[in-house]
Amino acid sequence: MEFDLFGNEIIRDELLRDKFIEPPFSVLDTKSGNWQKRKKLWVSKGIKSEVGRNNKQVNSIRMETNGEDITKNPYQSIFDPALCEVLYHWFCEDGGKILDPFAGGSVRGIVANYLGYKYTGIDIREEQVQSNREQALNILPINNQPQWYVGDSNEILDSNWNYKFDFVFSCPPYADLEVYSDLQGDISNKPYDEFLRLYESIIKKSCNLLKSGGYACFVVGEVRDKKGNYIGFVPNTIKAFQNCGMKFYNEAILLNAIASASMRAAGNMKTQKLVKIHQNVLVFRKP
């Protein structure tokens, strides 16, 4: 047993990883060797989260660029399967039921059922759900398929569910950063005030279906408006959960790969904008 200068026991990362997959710290580094190894293993199973999203409209990348045209900076967000693995392990009981009101691509559903959880996702785009189902059939046994519903979460969550969920987990639209469709119930194509109203409603209905003592986790990032100012999406998300009785329980910073950030940094700093290379992992607990 080793101790530091203050007499505290030193716990090596390797031991924490054996028990928790990743050390349960408030910074999650996706650039680390262990993280990248796990991510590659998941991708090698055939997960293609970007499939089914080729036709969506995309706004300027206000989160990371300095107002540049999207044609010069093509971008699609793809959820990290290694992050799913970690968060399911930390916040959902073995074999638990997971609700995802903003399902998007296939990653969160396939990883969940592969690990023995039972995933239910909702997405408004039929082509996205169809793509997810096809991928799941290629990766998972026919008797262990995630459940995806096509439709508006605000409506589907009003249905009579005969069970509660153990974990609510999602990565919602970052306001209108990415506009996925022009469908009426798609909140990504709404002005921000309308977006927030619908967003809060979906969060409340999701949390109503969560078991007491259960956790909810949203992965979000801040977004700039057309004038370059942050809109406050992260604090608005926290407030939405608190307004429906959830307790703000954990926050972690998800460090992303630098990728092209170093090339954009000089341009961004012409107007004193830092290049964003992290997302916020917000965790809430139902009393």
Side-chain angles (χ1 to χ4, degrees):
M1 187 176 297
E2 298 179 75
F3 297 89
D4 62 19
L5 294 175
F6 303 97
N8 300 311
E9 181 184 352
I10 297 174
I11 301 176
R12 300 295 182 185
D13 281 2
E14 292 78 11
L15 297 178
L16 288 174
R17 286 196 173 97
D18 288 342
K19 187 173 182 179
F20 300 109
I21 303 179
E22 285 287 329
F25 300 151
S26 61
V27 175
L28 303 173
D29 187 358
T30 68
K31 305 184 301 301
S32 71
N34 185 65
W35 192 289
Q36 286 297 313
K37 180 180 178 180
R38 289 187 298 104
K39 183 175 180 178
K40 288 177 181 177
L41 286 172
W42 281 112
V43 173
S44 71
K45 297 183 184 301
I47 299 176
K48 300 176 181 178
S49 183
E50 72 280 6
V51 177
R53 302 178 65 184
N54 296 333
N55 296 325
K56 72 179 177 64
Q57 303 169 14
V58 185
N59 277 342
S60 299
I61 315 173
R62 295 193 301 274
M63 182 163 56
E64 297 184 356
T65 71
N66 190 26
E68 300 171 62
D69 191 285
I70 187 60
T71 58
K72 298 178 183 178
N73 289 279
Y75 172 82
Q76 277 192 346
S77 61
I78 298 173
F79 204 83
D80 190 331
L83 179 62
C84 294
E85 180 185 10
V86 168
L87 295 178
Y88 292 157
H89 183 68
W90 288 355
F91 299 113
C92 188
E93 64 182 49
D94 291 346
K97 297 180 179 67
I98 297 167
L99 173 62
D100 185 347
F102 301 103
S106 62
V107 171
R108 293 191 291 277
I110 290 176
V111 172
N113 278 54
Y114 191 96
L115 294 174
Y117 303 97
K118 300 301 179 185
Y119 173 94
T120 297
I122 306 169
D123 195 88
I124 198 164
R125 297 175 59 245
E126 185 174 3
E127 60 268 37
Q128 181 66 74
V129 169
Q130 183 59 36
S131 171
N132 293 352
R133 289 170 176 166
E134 291 173 0
Q135 287 185 56
L137 285 169
N138 289 331
I139 298 171
L140 299 168
I142 188 67
N143 62 347
N144 183 28
Q145 293 292 304
Q147 177 66 62
W148 281 286
Y149 290 93
V150 178
D152 181 352
S153 289
N154 242 327
E155 297 177 356
I156 292 177
L157 292 172
D158 280 334
S159 303
N160 292 321
W161 299 77
N162 58 7
Y163 53 83
K164 294 280 190 176
F165 292 90
D166 302 286
F167 188 39
V168 173
F169 181 48
S170 201
C171 182
Y174 291 10
D176 65 348
L177 182 68
E178 297 179 69
V179 177
Y180 297 95
S181 75
D182 57 2
L183 295 171
Q184 178 62 33
D186 188 341
I187 68 173
S188 72
N189 64 38
K190 302 291 190 289
Y192 192 60
D193 287 349
E194 177 70 2
F195 169 91
L196 272 184
R197 183 182 68 80
L198 298 170
Y199 182 54
E200 290 178 0
S201 175
I202 291 170
I203 287 174
K204 181 177 181 180
K205 292 175 182 180
S206 298
C207 292
N208 284 342
L209 294 173
L210 181 65
K211 291 179 179 178
S212 295
Y215 294 93
C217 176
F218 269 29
V219 180
V220 295
E222 200 50 81
V223 184
R224 296 187 187 275
D225 63 21
K226 293 180 180 179
K227 294 182 180 180
N229 303 306
Y230 277 143
I231 64 175
F233 181 52
V234 174
N236 284 335
T237 298
I238 296 170
K239 183 178 179 181
F241 275 97
Q242 291 177 324
N243 284 346
C244 68
M246 298 288 288
K247 303 301 182 182
F248 189 22
Y249 203 73
N250 286 302
E251 180 180 21
I253 297 301
L254 181 70
L255 293 178
N256 302 124
I258 293 176
S260 62
S262 57
M263 293 185 290
R264 299 196 306 274
N268 276 31
M269 283 304 291
K270 291 178 181 178
T271 51
Q272 284 67 54
K273 294 187 182 73
L274 305 181
V275 179
K276 195 171 183 64
I277 57 169
H278 77 275
Q279 292 168 286
N280 301 71
V281 181
L282 308 176
V283 180
F284 306 85
R285 187 175 185 273
K286 187 170 184 176

